[in-house]
Amino acid sequence: MAVGVDVRELLEAAVSGIAGQTRPGQVEMAQAVDTAMHEGSHLLVQAGTGTGKSLGYLVPALVHAIEDRRVVVSTATLALQSQLVDRDVPALLDATEKLLP
């Protein structure tokens, strides 16, 4: 975890920034992704519709990027790519800007 940056706190800010509520599976996923990214280990996550997967991996990716580490997010569809670029990433940055160093 980056100094002063807590994945759970960023996730809560991001979710409330889009008028949502964090879900236990989403929190668990975000923490697992964060751990895997910092350990350099592999992680496979399967989560159902409505879990909040996008923020579940984008929040740890943001923490990783804050640490000046490169992050690449690959999507299977152009629709998801557009959702991330046009909606999810800008909303994440707006919702968490006050918490970022």
Side-chain angles (χ1 to χ4, degrees):
M1 179 172 61
V3 175
V5 180
D6 179 58
V7 170
R8 187 179 184 124
E9 183 180 6
L10 280 179
L11 180 61
E12 289 174 5
V15 171
S16 43
I18 59 169
Q21 292 183 317
T22 55
R23 301 167 187 107
Q26 182 183 47
V27 173
E28 184 179 351
M29 177 183 170
Q31 291 172 329
V33 170
D34 184 56
T35 298
M37 291 181 84
H38 283 91
E39 291 177 352
S41 61
H42 296 276
L43 175 69
L44 177 64
V45 176
Q46 180 176 344
T49 303
T51 302
K53 292 179 290 290
S54 294
L55 290 178
Y57 60 77
L58 288 176
V59 168
L62 176 59
V63 170
H64 210 64
I66 290 168
E67 298 173 337
D68 279 338
R69 295 177 170 208
R70 183 168 295 177
V71 176
V72 176
V73 176
S74 176
T75 65
T77 65
L78 289 176
L80 179 54
Q81 180 179 337
S82 292
Q83 174 187 323
L84 293 176
V85 171
D86 297 334
R87 275 192 4 221
D88 295 345
V89 171
L92 170 61
L93 294 174
D94 286 346
T96 59
E97 71 180 327
K98 292 180 182 174
L99 299 173
L100 302 177

